[in-house]
Amino acid sequence: MNEKEVSIPLQTSGLLIKSFRITLTNIRMYPLTSNLVEQPMKEFLTSIDDLLKTFSYIAISEMDGKIFINSQEYRSEDSTLNSHIKFLVQFFVQSGIKSITFKQAATSEEIKTVLLALVTKKPKMSTRDIVKQVLKEKNITNIAIDEV
């Protein structure tokens, strides 16, 4: 079976969306060593790792106010998950980033580095530019911004 034919289970997508959103929120407010950062980050890393066992890449993207995971729109009837989706849509729009792609060879350290870059603020630099700069400086080739 072709990986394009395999859909990501809703529960797995939900955990990925939830842990991504909570990690991005908490990493701004708490020290990296705080359990409030470590736990959702661990869940996010586990979700990515589990999905990369089936898919050659995982792309989280925003288009027209919707969140997609590997070109599959993520929708939920759950109001809490919908709040996570709305947050991520807003985050993508404000950051100027359309998609984040994690390839199979991406390491936990590379993912953590990119997560930190996603919440870094610098004068006169967009989040997109900050992340692109970090990817280049750290020679991270298994995570991409705006490439699917």
Short mmCIF file of all heavy atoms in Angstrom, two decimals, residues 1 10 14 16-18 61-62 91 98 127 133 148:
data_model
loop_
_atom_site.label_atom_id
_atom_site.label_comp_id
_atom_site.label_asym_id
_atom_site.label_seq_id
_atom_site.Cartn_x
_atom_site.Cartn_y
_atom_site.Cartn_z
N MET A 1 0.85 -1.19 0.00
CA MET A 1 0.00 0.00 0.00
C MET A 1 0.89 1.24 0.00
O MET A 1 1.85 1.34 0.74
CB MET A 1 -0.92 -0.01 1.23
CG MET A 1 -1.90 1.13 1.23
SD MET A 1 -2.95 1.21 2.71
CE MET A 1 -3.87 -0.28 2.61
N LEU A 10 -7.34 9.51 13.42
CA LEU A 10 -7.81 10.75 14.04
C LEU A 10 -7.23 10.94 15.43
O LEU A 10 -6.81 12.05 15.80
CB LEU A 10 -9.34 10.75 14.08
CG LEU A 10 -10.01 12.08 14.37
CD1 LEU A 10 -9.60 13.13 13.35
CD2 LEU A 10 -11.52 11.91 14.37
N GLY A 14 -4.92 14.01 16.55
CA GLY A 14 -5.36 14.83 17.68
C GLY A 14 -4.26 14.99 18.71
O GLY A 14 -4.02 16.10 19.22
N LEU A 16 -1.04 14.70 18.16
CA LEU A 16 0.01 15.50 17.53
C LEU A 16 -0.34 16.99 17.61
O LEU A 16 0.48 17.81 18.04
CB LEU A 16 0.19 15.08 16.07
CG LEU A 16 1.26 15.82 15.28
CD1 LEU A 16 2.65 15.45 15.78
CD2 LEU A 16 1.13 15.51 13.81
N ILE A 17 -1.57 17.35 17.23
CA ILE A 17 -2.03 18.74 17.25
C ILE A 17 -2.00 19.29 18.69
O ILE A 17 -1.49 20.37 18.94
CB ILE A 17 -3.46 18.85 16.67
CG1 ILE A 17 -3.49 18.45 15.20
CG2 ILE A 17 -4.07 20.23 16.91
CD1 ILE A 17 -2.85 19.41 14.25
N LYS A 18 -2.55 18.53 19.61
CA LYS A 18 -2.62 18.97 21.01
C LYS A 18 -1.23 19.18 21.59
O LYS A 18 -0.95 20.22 22.19
CB LYS A 18 -3.38 17.93 21.84
CG LYS A 18 -3.41 18.21 23.32
CD LYS A 18 -4.06 17.07 24.08
CE LYS A 18 -3.88 17.26 25.57
NZ LYS A 18 -4.30 16.09 26.33
N SER A 61 0.64 21.65 8.15
CA SER A 61 0.52 22.88 7.36
C SER A 61 -0.82 23.56 7.60
O SER A 61 -1.78 22.96 8.08
CB SER A 61 0.71 22.57 5.87
OG SER A 61 -0.21 21.59 5.45
N GLU A 62 -0.83 24.84 7.22
CA GLU A 62 -2.05 25.65 7.32
C GLU A 62 -2.39 26.13 5.92
O GLU A 62 -1.53 26.58 5.17
CB GLU A 62 -1.80 26.86 8.23
CG GLU A 62 -3.01 27.76 8.42
CD GLU A 62 -3.22 28.79 7.32
OE1 GLU A 62 -2.25 29.20 6.66
OE2 GLU A 62 -4.38 29.18 7.10
N PHE A 91 -1.10 30.74 14.75
CA PHE A 91 0.35 30.70 14.86
C PHE A 91 1.01 30.68 13.47
O PHE A 91 1.93 31.44 13.21
CB PHE A 91 0.80 29.47 15.66
CG PHE A 91 2.28 29.30 15.68
CD1 PHE A 91 3.07 30.04 16.54
CD2 PHE A 91 2.90 28.41 14.82
CE1 PHE A 91 4.45 29.91 16.54
CE2 PHE A 91 4.27 28.27 14.80
CZ PHE A 91 5.06 29.02 15.67
N LYS A 98 3.91 28.44 6.32
CA LYS A 98 2.78 27.68 5.77
C LYS A 98 2.84 26.22 6.18
O LYS A 98 1.81 25.57 6.32
CB LYS A 98 2.74 27.79 4.24
CG LYS A 98 2.48 29.19 3.72
CD LYS A 98 1.22 29.82 4.24
CE LYS A 98 -0.04 29.29 3.62
NZ LYS A 98 -1.27 29.79 4.19
N THR A 127 9.31 35.01 12.37
CA THR A 127 9.53 33.66 12.89
C THR A 127 10.04 32.76 11.78
O THR A 127 10.95 31.95 11.98
CB THR A 127 8.23 33.11 13.50
OG1 THR A 127 7.81 33.97 14.55
CG2 THR A 127 8.41 31.71 14.04
N GLN A 133 16.98 30.47 9.50
CA GLN A 133 18.35 30.76 9.91
C GLN A 133 18.89 29.64 10.81
O GLN A 133 20.01 29.18 10.64
CB GLN A 133 18.41 32.10 10.64
CG GLN A 133 19.79 32.49 11.10
CD GLN A 133 19.80 33.83 11.83
OE1 GLN A 133 18.83 34.19 12.51
NE2 GLN A 133 20.89 34.57 11.68
N VAL A 148 7.02 20.88 0.92
CA VAL A 148 6.33 19.60 1.08
C VAL A 148 6.70 18.70 -0.07
O VAL A 148 6.88 19.13 -1.17
CB VAL A 148 4.80 19.79 1.18
CG1 VAL A 148 4.10 18.45 1.31
CG2 VAL A 148 4.44 20.68 2.33
#
